[in-house]
């Protein structure tokens, strides 16, 4: 059976919450260590781990209270409880890729690409458009094309090009592969000779095969938000960004105790300390993840930072953070493997 996990658009059926106990808790609910609110629809589809050991539902805990893990044995300080939620989902009412019937209106918000036939006719046949007026006065309601100027005779140079009722349904294909604009009475479409400023006798504009149309470069800088992934950028070549690329900083206030940073969800952090903390080992690590952690002392200061075994500093020695009130230190890191985080501390910023 395929794995049913979190999809790139942010919706999925599996979620993980991590709580670090401060001591004596017998139930868990609300925001976890990463400020994510615990929620589930059916307690049958919830797994609870205490310090890595799977607990037995109905014996070690209950889920009878909404979005709450209850009836736990009193937790000790720094106990880590991991909760895995498998949400209920339903399959959408969709037309299968192999074909089907729409019974209601369908709205498309972007381009449509069609390969094959529409009503038995190949959509690429001839690939031409003929715009052809049906009379010389342009007064016939339902004409395919109307050159409409500031007066009723439509004889002024620079007249507007207007498509009247049922234009698209009456378009005629032309052979060979060309686009033709035709005015039957020579009043609507004008040709100017640049040397004599005289009117050319022909009444057709023909765009031959391969005609290029200039398109203004009005693209704005793209922005990617939410849960998304860009795979294999550059096809083996260097990827260049003309402007800066930024990654958000996750701001968190941490009290005394052990805390786990989810490096797969956020790369940069600003941790304001109100007590002595331990940065415990993350549950999941992806090699190559990089970022920075700003460690900020609160107005009291004297807060210390300890580290789990995954955190690896030069010479194997963790730094001593600046402990003066409001001091700012920075830890830059890169994940080497699923159990190694190489880190460098820079201390005492202003």
């Amino acid at each position: 059976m395929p794995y049913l996990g979190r999809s790139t658009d942010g919706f999925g059926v599996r979620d993980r919450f991590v709580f670090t106990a401060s001591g004596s808790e017998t139930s868990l609910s609300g925001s976890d260590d990463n400020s994510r609110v615990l929620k589930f629809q059916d307690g049958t589809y919830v797994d609870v781990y205490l310090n890595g050991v799977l607990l037995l539902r109905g014996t070690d805990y209950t889920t009878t209270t909404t979005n709450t893990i209850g009836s736990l044995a009193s937790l000790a300080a720094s106990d880590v409880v991991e909760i895995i939620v498998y949400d209920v989902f339903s399959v959408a009412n969709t037309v299968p890729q192999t074909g089907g019937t729409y019974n209601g209106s369908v709205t498309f918000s972007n381009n449509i690409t069609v390969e094959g036939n529409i009503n038995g006719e190949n959509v690429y046949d001839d690939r031409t458009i003929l715009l052809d007026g049906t009379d010389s006065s342009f007064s016939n309601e339902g004409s395919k094309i109307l050159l409409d100027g500031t007066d009723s005779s439509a004889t002024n140079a620079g007249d507007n090009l207007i498509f009247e009722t049922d234009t698209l349904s009456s378009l005629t294909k032309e052979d060979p592969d060309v686009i033709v604009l035709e005015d039957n009475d020579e009043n609507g479409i004008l040709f100017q000779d640049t040397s004599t400023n005289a009117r050319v006798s022909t009444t057709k504009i023909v765009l031959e095969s391969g005609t290029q149309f200039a398109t203004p470069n009005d693209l704005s800088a793209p922005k990617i938000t939410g849960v998304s992934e860009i795979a294999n950028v550059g096809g083996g070549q260097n990827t260049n960004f003309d402007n800066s690329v930024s990654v958000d900083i996750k701001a968190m206030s941490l009290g005394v105790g052990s805390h786990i940073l989810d490096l797969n969800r956020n790369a940069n952090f600003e941790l304001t300390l109100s007590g002595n903390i331990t940065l415990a080992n993350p549950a999941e690590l992806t090699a190559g993840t990089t970022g920075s952690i700003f460690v900020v002392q609160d107005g009291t200061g004297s807060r210390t930072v300890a580290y789990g075994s995954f955190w690896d500093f030069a010479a194997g020695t963790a730094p001593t953070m600046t402990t003066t009130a409001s001091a700012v230190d920075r830890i830059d890191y890169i994940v080497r493997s699923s159990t190694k985080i190489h880190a460098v501390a820079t201390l005492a910023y202003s």
Side-chain angles (χ1 to χ4, degrees):
M1 174 180 176
Y3 168 78
L4 298 178
R6 180 173 296 280
S7 64
T8 57
D9 59 7
F11 298 98
V13 297
R14 181 182 183 274
D15 215 343
R16 180 171 65 90
F17 301 86
V18 178
F19 291 83
T20 302
S22 56
S24 303
E25 294 96 332
T26 58
S27 67
L28 296 173
S29 62
S31 298
D32 71 349
D33 291 351
N34 297 304
S35 302
R36 302 179 64 249
V37 178
L38 174 64
K39 59 182 179 180
F40 52 85
Q41 297 185 34
D42 189 338
T44 305
Y45 302 103
V46 175
D47 292 336
V48 180
Y49 296 82
L50 174 60
N51 296 324
V53 178
L54 178 65
L55 301 184
L56 181 63
R57 184 174 63 86
T59 300
D60 298 325
Y61 69 94
T62 63
T63 56
T64 53
T65 301
T66 302
N67 297 327
T68 301
I69 305 300
S71 302
L72 292 165
S74 181
L75 299 175
S78 300
D79 277 347
V80 176
V81 178
E82 185 176 14
I83 303 168
I84 306 298
V85 175
Y86 301 87
D87 274 351
V88 177
F89 73 98
S90 59
V91 178
N93 180 15
T94 61
V95 174
Q97 185 179 8
T98 54
T101 301
Y102 290 97
N103 295 320
S105 300
V106 179
T107 300
F108 297 91
S109 59
N110 211 322
N111 297 333
I112 303 172
T113 300
V114 179
E115 295 184 10
N117 298 334
I118 297 178
N119 293 331
E121 182 176 350
N122 192 297
V123 296
Y124 294 109
D125 283 351
D126 298 323
R127 292 173 293 175
T128 62
I129 300 175
L130 170 64
L131 303 181
D132 187 4
T134 58
D135 58 23
S136 60
S137 66
F138 297 100
S139 61
N140 182 25
E141 185 67 26
S143 293
K144 299 175 189 175
I145 182 170
L146 174 65
L147 300 179
D148 185 15
T150 57
D151 57 17
S152 60
S153 64
T155 58
N156 290 341
D159 290 341
N160 296 324
L161 181 65
I162 296 178
F163 296 89
E164 290 213 330
T165 307
D166 297 327
T167 297
L168 294 179
S169 62
S170 61
L171 287 178
T172 303
K173 292 184 299 179
E174 189 83 345
D175 186 33
D177 189 9
V178 299
I179 297 175
V180 178
L181 304 179
E182 183 174 359
D183 170 23
N184 289 344
D185 66 358
E186 301 184 358
N187 287 328
I189 300 177
L190 299 181
F191 292 78
Q192 295 295 328
D193 184 321
T194 56
S195 61
T196 63
N197 201 30
R199 180 168 164 172
V200 179
S201 59
T202 185
T203 61
K204 288 187 178 181
I205 300 174
V206 178
L207 306 180
E208 300 289 352
S209 301
T211 300
Q212 299 292 324
F213 291 91
T215 302
N217 182 11
D218 58 359
L219 295 177
S220 57
K223 183 178 183 181
I224 299 174
T225 61
V227 180
S228 49
E229 178 180 355
I230 305 176
N232 300 323
V233 173
Q237 302 296 321
N238 291 333
T239 300
N240 178 63
F241 297 92
D242 289 338
N243 294 305
S244 62
V245 178
S246 61
V247 179
D248 291 342
I249 298 176
K250 173 69 173 179
M252 304 172 66
S253 296
L254 301 184
V256 63
S258 181
H259 303 276
I260 297 175
L261 301 182
D262 191 340
L263 304 186
N264 282 339
R265 189 172 293 272
N266 297 100
N268 299 324
F269 298 83
E270 181 174 296
L271 311 179
T272 300
L273 309 185
S274 59
N276 298 337
I277 70 165
T278 296
L279 293 181
N281 295 331
E284 296 179 7
L285 289 175
T286 301
T289 301
T290 63
S292 296
I293 303 170
F294 298 92
V295 180
V296 182
Q297 297 283 336
D298 64 5
T300 301
S302 301
R303 316 303 186 184
T304 62
V305 181
Y307 305 89
S309 60
F310 289 4
W311 294 90
D312 191 3
F313 292 89
T317 302
T320 300
M321 296 289 102
T322 307
T323 56
T324 55
S326 302
V328 178
D329 297 331
R330 189 179 83 234
I331 299 172
D332 298 314
Y333 72 89
I334 181 170
V335 177
R336 179 187 174 192
S337 68
S338 61
T339 58
K340 281 295 182 186
I341 307 171
H342 282 200
V344 176
T346 311
L347 308 179
Y349 283 92
S350 58

